[in-house]
Each structure stands twice: as C-alpha cells, then as structure tokens.
Amino acid sequence: MASMIGMRVKRKEDPKLITGNGNFTDDIKLPGMLYAAFLRSTHAHARIKRIDVSQAVELPGVVAVYTGEDLTGKIKSVPTSWYVPGCNLKAKDRSPLAVDKVLYVGEGVAMVVAEDRYTAYDALNAIEVEYEELKAVTGQEAALKDGAPLVHEDVKNNLAFLWKAGDVPDEAFTNAEVVVRERYYEQRVVPNPMETRAAVAQYNSGSGDMTVWCTSQNPHIHRMVYAEVLGIPESKLRIIAPDVGGGFGAKIGVYADEAVVAYAARHLKRPVKWMEDRKEHFMATNHARDEVIEVELAGKRDGTMTALRVRNTANMGAYLSTMGAGVPTICFGLMVTGAYAIPQAAVEVYGVYTNTTPTDAYRGAGKPESAYQIERAVDAFAREIGMDPVEIRRKNFVPKEKFPYDTAMAVTYDSGDYMLTLDKALEIADYEELRREQEALRKQGRYLGIGLSTYVELCGLGPSKVAGAIGLQFGQWENATVRVHPSGKVTVLTGASPHGQGEDTTFAQVVADKFGVPLEDIEVLHGDTQMIPMGWGTYGSRTTPVGGAAVAIAAERVTEKAKKIAAHELEVSTEDLEFSDGIFQVKGVPGHQRTFQEIARSANMAWNLPEGMEPALEAQSFFDPSNFVYPFGAHICVVEVDSNTGQIELKRYIAVDDVGRVINPMIAEGQVHGGLAQGIGQALWEGAVYEENGQLISGTFMDYTMPKADFFPVLETAFTETPSPVNPLGAKGVGETGATASPPAVVNAVLDALRPFGITHLDMPLTPEKVWRAMQKGRKEA
Ligand code: MCN
C-alpha cells in the first residue's frame, strides 16, 4: 500500500457539511431554551448615566434583562491578554457588561433573555440608556499624544505596553553606505468567518454541571477562563465546540458575551442561546492588524543588508484581548528579519489603547505584518541601489547550510532552503520573460507590475521550553489519544480543535499510514473538553506540527504494543516481525502472520497477552515540541494597472511554499488558496474605517469589501519539501502561509507597475481611487 501521507484524499468531513448535516451551535435546540440578545454601545466613549430596563422587562415574552451592575459580584471580570514579559503590560480586566463607562462602539451594555429571538431583539429597543458622551480617540498615534482622551483613566498616554527586543547601535545606521527609511500602515481588518459567534448554555441545578456549546477555536482555553469567571470547577464545566464555521483567529479570544449567556442559564435554570448577527459581529468580535510600522534598513551598495530597526505602533483597541498583546510583540517582533541573514536587528512595539474594538489574531497574527515590512523594505533597498528584487533576495538569504539558524532576534529557524522555493517560483513564472513583457508593454503605455515576496514565518505554537525562555508563562503542547476498538476500527481524540482546516482527514491519514487500515475505519474527534483530556486548540498553524505529531507518536505507541502481542501469538520475537499494510508478518515465513484487526481483538479479549501486559490497544501522547516550525516560500504576483482608472487586474499569482512534509497536498493547496484570498483581500480591498468620533463606518458587507472567488485568477501553487527536524512528521504549518506572503507580493507588484509614475509607496488597501489619485499626482510631477 502506498503511504497515506502525501495522498490527495478528499475531506472526510465534507459530505456531512455539504449535505446540511453539520451541527453548528445555532443548530442546537434544547427543551425550554431561551434566547439572548445584547444591547451594545452606540458610543465610542461615554459615561453611562442611567440605564432603564423597566419597559423591556414588562414586554410579554421577556424573561430577564441584565446590566453590568446586575452582574457585579455575581461573575468575575474576564481577564484580558496573556502575560507578555518585560513590557510593563497594563492589562485591564473587563467587566462582562459595561459598568459606568463604555469604551467602544459595540461594547455590551445589557443582555435581554426572552422566550424567542424576535422578542429579545424587540426588547433591546425598549431599554433606555442615558449616555454622557466623552471625546474619543481611534488612532494609535493620536492616542499616544499628550492631552489625548484617556481610554483607561489610569493608563498614561494610553500606552498599554512598550516591548523591546534586540539592540542595534546608532552607528550601524550613521556609518552605513545605504539606509532606507519607510513607514507603512497595516490597516485594520475585520475577520469574517461564515459563522459568526454563538453560544448555547445549559445548567443542571441538581448536579451543578454546566455545558456551553460555543464557536471556539480552543475549547480547553475557554474552559480554563470561564471556570474562573463563572466560579465553576473545570470538572463541572464542559465546553463543546461543535462544527465551527471558520474562525480565522477571531474565535481564539475568550469574550465576555459567552460568559454572560452561561450566567443567565444558571440564574434562570433554563438553557439560553445567543447567536451574533453580522452587524453585531463587525463591532463586537475582535478586529485585527492596525499597526503603524516604521522601518530603517541599512546596508551596503553591493546589496548586503547589515542592520534593521523597526518600530511598531499597534492599535490594541479598548482592551487587550486574549492574544492581543502577543501579536505585535512575540509574533511580529521575533520575525522582523524575515528570510535574510541580517546580523543586527532591534524592535520596539508600542501597544496603544484606543476607543475601538479590541484587536487580536487574524490569520498569520503578526507574521503577515512582519513579512510585509521586511518584504517592502527589501524592495525599497533594491530600488535605492538599482538592484533587481530577485538578486537582493538571493544575496541576503540565510544559506541552506546554516540551518538550524539563530537569527538576530534570538529565535532558531528549524530548517530551510530559501533559494529552492525562489528558483521554483521564478521558473513557474518565467520571470525573465515577464520582465521582457513588462518592458514591451510600457512602450505601449501599459503598466505591468511584478512583485515578489520571499517570506518565512513562525508556526506550531508553541514549544513550552522556548516559550519559557522568552519569558512567557505558558507553553502550548498537544494531546492525542489513539484508541483501537476490538474490531480494529480506530477513534482518535485530539486536543486541537479544527474548524474548517481538514484535520478529520489528515490526522486519519497519519493513523492509516501507521496501521495500514482504511481511512474509513478511522474517526477523529475533537472540540469537547469532557471527552478530551486537555488541548490548546487550533490556530497559529500548530495543529499539524504539534497535534498531528502527537497523533503520530500515540499511533506509534499503539503499533509497538500490537507488535508485542503479534509476536507473542506467533511465538517469535518482535525483531522477527515486519509490519506493513496492516499485517504483522514473520520474516521469511509466508502465511505466518496476524492482521492488525486480529491483534486489536486479541488485545481487547485479553486471554492470551504477554506476561504482565495490560489489556486494550490505546495510547496517548502529550507532545511538546523542541522548537517552533518555520515554513517559508516565494510568491510572485503579476498585475496590470489601468492608467485611466487605477483599476488593478490580478493577472497571475504564483505561490511556492515549503511546509515540510505535506500530509495532504489537496488540503494544503486549499489552505494556501484561503490564505491568499485573505492576504490579497487585505492588499486590495478590505479595510475597517472609523470616523473620528469612533463610529465604525465600514460595519456591513456593503461598506467592507470581502473578496469573492471571481476576483482572483487561477492561483498557481506548488510545494517543495524541506522536512522540519522538530516533529516526527517533518511537517510545518500551512494555514497561514498565503495570508503572510501575499500582501507584500501584491503591493510590490502594484508599485513595480507604478514605477514610471515615481510612486514608491501606497498603503493598503490599494483601491482604484487611491491608485488613480497617486498616478494623477505622479503625472503632474513628471
Ligand atoms: N496540512 C498538511 N500538510 C502540512 C501542514 C498542514 O496537509 N505540512 C494540512 C493539515 O493537516 C490541515 C491543514 O493543512 O488539514 C491546516 O493545517 P495547519 O497548517 O496545521 O494549520 P491549523 O490546522 O493549525 O489551522 C490554523 C490556520 C490558521 S492560523 C487560520 S487563522 C485559519 C487556517 O488555518 N483559519 C481557517 N485555515 C482555515 N481554514 C478554514 N476553513 N477556516 C478557518 O477558520
């Protein structure tokens, strides 16, 4: 049987989902269930002078209305942000519903619980809130200025934290032959999974057991936090993430809303459901990015880059959300040197409170921003010295022989061959020919642009020892159980919690590969804290390199035990056995064999086991990797800019990624496609816009452009395979590669097209209007 690893197997989970048989949170209907709706702040910054719920409570069908004051002392505040060391983090716990003050549009002010959803929404209109509006601040640079409105009165200059890493003496810049100084704005984006957030809570007042079904990417983390908030022991709190319709980082954060729903279920002794609507989602679910990034890159005229200094002023919103502070610090800061052997680097990150929705992880979380600044700056450097963007990259790549490679930011890249992916991408693109075509078209007044991005990113969160060395007080290992039933069918339990990524299939492939059993014989279960011992969830492209590795290790343990049983039955030593295609075969004695299924039965019937062996065929692994994994690649984007309209036509997009050993190329390609849609979406179309008074004016799909399939050309994807040495699968994560690599590839391409106009930078999104205006200005100056 051919290895199941590397096979293009169709996703096992899809028939259920595409035939309407999925079980999403909103599909859960319990007897006596009530419906909740939140009243959300319409002001970005205001004092709550009075809340009158008397009319709402009187409406027929309304069961309860809660305000922040009602909950004070009943449940705890939701802790915000994991601890990030050495940055004087001024985290502010947030009360489950606002008390006294609201700090952003969309903050929860009250919650209605009613017999049906319509009544709950009607009752929201009957609540009167008297606000005293205060001056708001939405931009991070404005918020840092003296005299700016204070989001939290005791946090001076709204500075939530100042994180620094690395050190570069000024002389590295003053004495350099070339220094480029750039300033980029990574605009704010709104993660938009198909399914918005939702929760159903059920409390058993007899036993004190609470079950919460919710749209979580990491149910065990939700359990850890909500146990504390609700005052329910973890052993009595069950969090279930049923089918989850995408998350993209927005469902990592532990929000207050779900805790309030659970509180109501306990208080009212009836199940309560809440389903966020899309407009609410735009305001109340975490946003992402929103970073002003200033870069100084020094080097020599021959193209050697020698020093990098980066300052990131990050808009954290009104509170630090769960992963919020980790994104611009650890995830962004440690990756600033990208794929290049830049010997000296330093980063400063200013995390700033503003009167906006909190920001948190979004596909790539810090790494796209980091790839953007270095890939844009490398192009600026190449332009400055008149070097081709390909050549400058080749000159500065970390060479293949240098891995594992310690970067100037004190992280160790596990493995890599950056030249390999670049060469392959150039070959697919036919780079030389593209440059000739560009030249020829320019003579006809047509503007073709070719953009490169040769990225590397940090994935596989996260090795506990490395996390500890950085000063973090938590690591993220992963748990797997592989259980073989008497029939030889297999159940796999994983602490990861996929929500669209396809691990039901790829983890089954890992096990099928080990046991030689058909894929159909393997079920992968996840997302239920009562069923699974512990886990850290799905994000940070960690599920395969960490969770998949745990599955592989547990499966290997099962195989070892099965082999001992087979050897015992066949009366040979384990060394005399070979195991392939699901058969334990005595070497050189045809027919003297046992099938995997026979051994599964023996292990469970247990009447003839080796002396001292415990029955059953099951193994567990708690895998904690020794390092992160660092996928990399080369992306090339080809665009044509219409000089009359500023319209950008995406002509080609080539993505060559190296994610180590690929488990399922079809799923991995799908992940690259999805990531590209988000990254290119950020480069060209998406962007959240706040008015000065803090109103989110891009709060619906009418004002916020989500990319659609027909916006894209056929995406040309390929993989090279440089295995990672840090896990037994040799796999690195693929989930974020597209989102990380593509924004700079697209922007570099557009600016390459606009070179004749003397335009060197435009901030994303590159809307036709922005491009057209820049061209008009460029023309006038020319
Ligand atoms: N895979 C593979 N070979 C590899 C690496 C991965 O075949 N070498 C497969 C995996 O086994 C899995 C998929 O590719 O089926 C993605 O795996 P991995 O790279 O480990 O990433 P995660 O499963 O940890 O997913 C997280 C990543 C992130 S961070 C975001 S955000 C994101 C994404 O995945 N959100 C998604 N992809 C998403 N896809 C969907 N449909 N929905 C989301 O919310």
Side-chain angles (χ1 to χ4, degrees):
M1 195 173 89
S3 171
M4 286 303 291
I5 294 192
M7 291 267 271
R8 302 176 74 87
V9 179
K10 281 194 181 168
R11 299 193 349 156
K12 275 161 73 75
E13 48 272 72
D14 284 352
K16 172 183 80 169
L17 297 173
I18 62 176
T19 55
N21 288 298
N23 181 36
F24 295 88
T25 303
D26 200 29
D27 291 321
I28 293 160
K29 295 181 178 70
L30 302 172
M33 190 165 76
L34 300 168
Y35 295 81
F38 285 93
L39 182 75
R40 300 197 176 272
S41 170
T42 48
H43 294 284
H45 198 191
R47 232 176 270 290
I48 301 173
K49 298 193 75 178
R50 184 178 63 92
I51 306 183
D52 183 353
V53 301
S54 56
Q55 285 184 46
V57 176
E58 291 304 316
L59 280 180
V62 169
V63 178
V65 181
Y66 302 99
T67 64
E69 258 175 32
D70 297 332
L71 300 183
T72 306
K74 308 273 177 35
I75 57 176
K76 284 198 188 146
S77 296
V78 177
T80 56
S81 209
W82 294 104
Y83 170 74
V84 175
C87 62
N88 192 16
L89 192 77
K90 296 187 186 68
K92 293 277 164 191
D93 286 359
R94 56 184 295 180
S95 63
L97 292 167
V99 180
D100 297 334
K101 252 176 141 189
V102 286
L103 301 183
Y104 64 97
V105 169
E107 183 167 3
V109 172
M111 186 181 83
V112 173
V113 183
E115 294 290 345
D116 63 75
R117 208 167 169 214
Y118 305 98
T119 307
Y121 275 86
D122 284 348
L124 294 183
N125 295 328
I127 300 175
E128 276 179 32
V129 186
E130 196 185 320
Y131 290 107
E132 179 195 330
E133 216 181 323
L134 302 169
K135 219 168 169 310
V137 63
T138 58
Q140 57 268 52
E141 290 181 307
L144 276 179
K145 291 201 173 113
D146 284 339
L150 291 178
V151 180
H152 301 279
E153 278 153 31
D154 56 343
V155 179
K156 197 166 170 269
N157 291 108
N158 295 305
L159 186 62
F161 58 85
L162 171 55
W163 184 86
K164 292 183 185 187
D167 194 22
V168 186
D170 285 342
E171 298 76 64
F173 294 90
T174 45
N175 299 340
E177 287 174 19
V178 185
V179 181
V180 289
R181 293 194 169 80
E182 299 275 302
R183 179 191 156 91
Y184 308 126
Y185 176 53
E186 272 269 347
Q187 84 274 31
R188 180 178 281 242
V189 293
V190 181
N192 265 302
M194 270 200 269
E195 181 200 30
T196 53
R197 278 188 300 134
V200 173
Q202 184 178 38
Y203 182 69
N204 184 323
S205 55
S207 65
D209 289 320
M210 169 78 82
T211 303
V212 181
W213 292 261
C214 62
T215 51
S216 168
Q217 293 183 224
N218 39 344
H220 288 88
I221 299 183
H222 278 71
R223 184 181 66 174
M224 206 153 58
V225 176
Y226 289 146
E228 182 75 18
V229 170
L230 295 164
I232 298 175
E234 276 164 315
S235 50
K236 287 199 166 290
L237 178 59
R238 179 180 187 184
I239 306 284
I240 301 176
D243 286 326
V244 176
F248 307 112
K251 294 170 180 172
I252 302 173
V254 184
Y255 297 82
D257 304 330
E258 290 82 342
V260 182
V261 172
Y263 170 79
R266 181 170 63 185
H267 184 231
L268 301 170
K269 300 191 175 58
R270 285 176 71 180
V272 179
K273 176 188 280 187
W274 164 66
M275 180 78 223
E276 186 184 52
D277 71 23
R278 184 63 62 179
K279 208 166 154 221
E280 188 179 19
H281 174 86
F282 263 99
M283 303 182 288
T285 292
N286 293 335
H287 293 176
R289 315 280 199 252
D290 205 343
E291 295 167 21
V292 176
I293 304 170
E294 290 154 283
V295 191
E296 291 172 281
L297 178 57
K300 300 185 191 156
R301 291 243 150 246
D302 71 357
T304 312
M305 301 189 289
T306 51
L308 176 73
R309 203 151 55 186
V310 183
R311 174 184 160 132
N312 181 346
T313 311
N315 192 332
M316 306 312 300
Y319 293 97
L320 297 177
S321 59
T322 312
M323 294 281 176
V327 171
T329 53
I330 311 288
C331 298
F332 169 90
L334 298 182
M335 292 308 296
V336 286
T337 52
Y340 312 105
I342 304 173
Q344 301 187 88
V347 187
E348 286 189 337
V349 181
Y350 292 75
V352 187
Y353 285 124
T354 62
N355 293 112
T356 62
T357 300
T359 54
D360 200 306
Y362 175 60
R363 206 166 190 158
K367 294 159 299 177
E369 299 94 299
S370 211
Y372 185 75
Q373 59 80 31
I374 189 68
E375 291 304 303
R376 290 284 302 116
V378 166
D379 261 31
F381 196 95
R383 190 182 60 237
E384 181 68 27
I385 59 171
M387 200 172 195
D388 186 277
V390 170
E391 290 321 308
I392 193 163
R393 285 172 166 84
R394 282 194 201 284
K395 194 168 181 70
N396 291 281
F397 273 160
V398 174
K400 175 177 153 185
E401 325 65 73
K402 288 274 175 70
F403 290 92
Y405 178 76
D406 295 330
T407 75
M409 297 314 297
V411 289
T412 306
Y413 292 172
D414 60 337
S415 64
D417 187 346
Y418 302 157
M419 216 67 98
L420 182 70
T421 47
L422 177 59
D423 285 343
K424 189 157 184 169
L426 293 172
E427 187 193 317
I428 297 172
D430 198 349
Y431 185 71
E432 299 300 327
E433 180 53 33
L434 278 174
R435 285 285 176 213
R436 278 193 288 274
E437 195 186 336
Q438 177 181 47
E439 205 46 45
L441 287 174
R442 271 191 193 161
K443 290 192 183 120
Q444 301 167 26
R446 287 176 62 187
Y447 301 96
L448 197 75
I450 304 151
L452 254 91
S453 163
T454 49
Y455 74 98
V456 55
E457 60 156 332
L458 169 157
C459 292
L461 308 181
S464 308
K465 282 222 165 67
V466 181
I470 298 170
L472 293 174
Q473 292 178 351
F474 65 100
Q476 289 150 305
W477 41 274
E478 202 47 85
N479 167 257
T481 305
V482 174
R483 180 172 299 153
V484 185
H485 302 284
S487 59
K489 311 279 186 217
V490 184
T491 298
V492 177
L493 307 179
T494 168
S497 194
H499 43 279
Q501 290 86 349
E503 274 89 355
D504 291 16
T505 307
T506 49
F507 284 11
Q509 285 179 255
V510 169
V511 173
D513 189 64
K514 285 261 187 236
F515 294 166
V517 301
L519 212 56
E520 305 75 66
D521 285 3
I522 304 161
E523 287 304 317
V524 177
L525 304 179
H526 47 78
D528 182 344
T529 59
Q530 200 169 73
M531 187 166 65
I532 290 145
M534 179 55 190
W536 290 88
T538 286
Y539 47 85
S541 303
R542 66 183 303 275
T543 305
T544 308
V546 190
V551 169
I553 293 166
E556 183 56 34
R557 287 179 184 156
V558 165
T559 309
E560 279 163 24
K561 182 170 179 184
K563 200 171 192 180
K564 282 185 191 148
I565 300 171
H568 175 73
E569 287 190 7
L570 293 162
E571 297 177 342
V572 292
S573 77
T574 48
E575 287 80 52
D576 294 331
L577 281 183
E578 55 194 10
F579 180 51
S580 72
D581 294 350
I583 293 171
F584 294 96
Q585 168 74 48
V586 180
K587 287 178 198 164
V589 190
H592 210 49
Q593 63 185 47
R594 288 287 185 277
T595 64
F596 182 77
Q597 289 78 3
E598 284 168 339
I599 297 301
R601 189 171 170 79
S602 301
N604 282 281
M605 298 307 133
W607 62 271
N608 181 24
L609 291 180
E611 193 56 40
M613 181 183 274
E614 289 183 356
L617 204 49
E618 171 164 331
Q620 222 181 118
S621 162
F622 294 84
F623 177 63
D624 197 347
S626 57
N627 192 3
F628 295 103
V629 288
Y630 293 87
F632 58 92
H635 288 208
I636 299 178
C637 178
V638 184
V639 298
E640 184 171 351
V641 179
D642 184 327
S643 59
N644 293 313
T645 61
Q647 190 72 36
I648 295 161
E649 186 195 347
L650 274 173
K651 291 183 89 72
R652 287 181 73 191
Y653 196 97
I654 297 116
V656 178
D657 297 293
D658 194 317
V659 297
R661 198 153 156 236
V662 179
I663 313 296
N664 183 329
M666 186 164 59
I667 289 182
E669 271 165 24
Q671 286 293 311
V672 173
H673 289 173
L676 290 179
Q678 288 178 248
I680 298 172
Q682 168 157 28
L684 296 181
W685 307 295
E686 295 185 47
V689 182
Y690 276 99
E691 270 185 339
E692 225 173 88
N693 64 4
Q695 293 298 331
L696 179 66
I697 54 171
S698 53
T700 71
F701 285 142
M702 296 298 285
D703 336 277
Y704 185 96
T705 313
M706 285 297 284
K708 300 185 178 64
D710 72 349
F711 288 15
F712 298 95
V714 170
L715 302 166
E716 301 168 62
T717 59
F719 293 103
T720 60
E721 289 198 10
T722 307
S724 169
V726 307
N727 66 67
L729 290 173
K732 304 184 181 188
V734 71
E736 297 160 299
T737 55
T740 302
S742 57
V746 174
V747 175
N748 284 343
V750 173
L751 287 157
D752 185 50
L754 296 177
R755 242 178 135 152
F757 294 85
I759 302 164
T760 54
H761 180 67
L762 291 174
D763 279 322
M764 302 182 289
L766 301 179
T767 57
E769 184 191 341
K770 196 183 280 177
V771 171
W772 181 83
R773 283 187 192 282
M775 282 192 296
Q776 296 303 308
K777 203 162 162 264
R779 272 205 186 106
K780 274 182 207 132
E781 282 167 7

